[in-house]
Amino acid sequence: MDHPDPVRRTSEIEELTNLHVIHPISAWLTQRFARLGVAPNAVSLGGMLAGIMAGVAYHRDHDPRCAVAGFVLMVVWHVMDGADGQLARLTGKQSHTGKILDGICDYVTFIAVYTGLALALARDHGGWVWPVILLAGFCHAVQSAAYERQRQDYFRGWGRGGSPLARSVARSGQRAGDLLFGLYNRIEAMTAGGDSRLDRRLSAMMAAHPDHVDAIRQHYRQAAAPLLRRWSILSANYRTIGIFLCVFLGVPMAYFYFEIIGLTLVLLLLLARQRACDRAILAELDSMACPSDAYRGELSLVADTVS
């Protein structure tokens, strides 16, 4: 008998390729991995191997068949990247070390692909392409960290372990993995642009109204989800598609220019909108801080919707 459906990412903030393609395949594989006793970290490493092979395929950038092979291998990496987290949640083997390994595997995949393309482009155009691609890689790291932090912060609305609010409640020992996890989160926080007062305000409100915790969280999710869906333009999925299209069409350098200029402008716009969104949510929460009858009525209305 199959295990129950593993805990997946919340659909209201998921971009379309994950929601309808990648994660359903990952869920199917997760059941098989669980029955075979495969460790989540082994799934992460298997996905990374596919990503490295994608870099080798993209090195032959003049052959459209290799571009297709590189794309397929990157899709395999995406599927495995979704399966490792689902498997960890299904089997209760979540860990800070596993999250760090997952992040490392993601970066190794793109380093392999960028390096494969850089070697091919340097061969054809000269060494000047290296600084451009290194700058693109730096922009990629900043953009990805900001997107991931926004995703993790959203889970404050579900009371799950990814958010700073939940981490402050359930802090583990100072093992090496925990220390690295803390450093990883601080790096993410440097690029997030969010308002830390939201965590404090949500904590205070849930402490003051313990009977309405679910309603408060849903109220936050309804306000935060629409903008977070727009953040998905910075997800790895669209980079995978962009790389394939540029290589297949014979203009791989176009992807790196778009990474540096186009996606950086998108990041700055999203950060500005995120700050405005956070301020609006914070102002609304502040207006609700007084436990008035009207406020209780609004929470009760949302609570009835939740139930």
Side-chain angles (χ1 to χ4, degrees), residues 58 110 113-114 117 239-248 255:
Y58 275 127
F110 276 99
V113 170
Y114 283 23
L117 288 172
R239 285 186 171 86
T240 294
I241 295 170
I243 290 170
F244 166 67
L245 289 176
C246 289
V247 175
F248 189 80
Y255 168 78

Side-chain angles (χ1 to χ4, degrees), residues 254-275:
Y255 168 78
F256 296 109
Y257 290 132
F258 181 69
E259 177 87 75
I260 296 168
I261 300 172
L263 292 183
T264 296
L265 291 175
V266 169
L267 172 63
L268 294 175
L269 176 62
L270 287 170
L271 285 173
R273 291 190 175 182
Q274 188 66 51
R275 292 189 184 100

Side-chain angles (χ1 to χ4, degrees), residues 3-9 26-28 30-31 86-87 89-90:
H3 290 278
D5 191 37
V7 177
R8 302 189 198 177
R9 302 184 184 196
S26 298
W28 183 86
T30 295
Q31 305 289 346
Q86 292 185 25
L87 182 62
R89 291 187 288 274
L90 178 64

Side-chain angles (χ1 to χ4, degrees), residues 62-132:
H62 294 302
D63 188 341
R65 295 172 299 178
C66 290
V68 172
F71 176 71
V72 170
L73 286 164
M74 288 197 77
V75 170
V76 170
W77 161 66
H78 281 290
V79 169
M80 301 292 270
D81 187 49
D84 60 4
Q86 292 185 25
L87 182 62
R89 291 187 288 274
L90 178 64
T91 59
K93 294 182 178 179
Q94 295 170 278
S95 69
H96 289 171
T97 301
K99 178 174 174 60
I100 295 167
L101 178 62
D102 181 61
I104 289 172
C105 291
D106 294 353
Y107 281 112
V108 168
T109 292
F110 276 99
I111 288 172
V113 170
Y114 283 23
T115 300
L117 288 172
L119 289 170
L121 289 166
R123 178 192 61 216
D124 295 338
H125 304 292
W128 66 268
V129 303
W130 281 100
V132 175

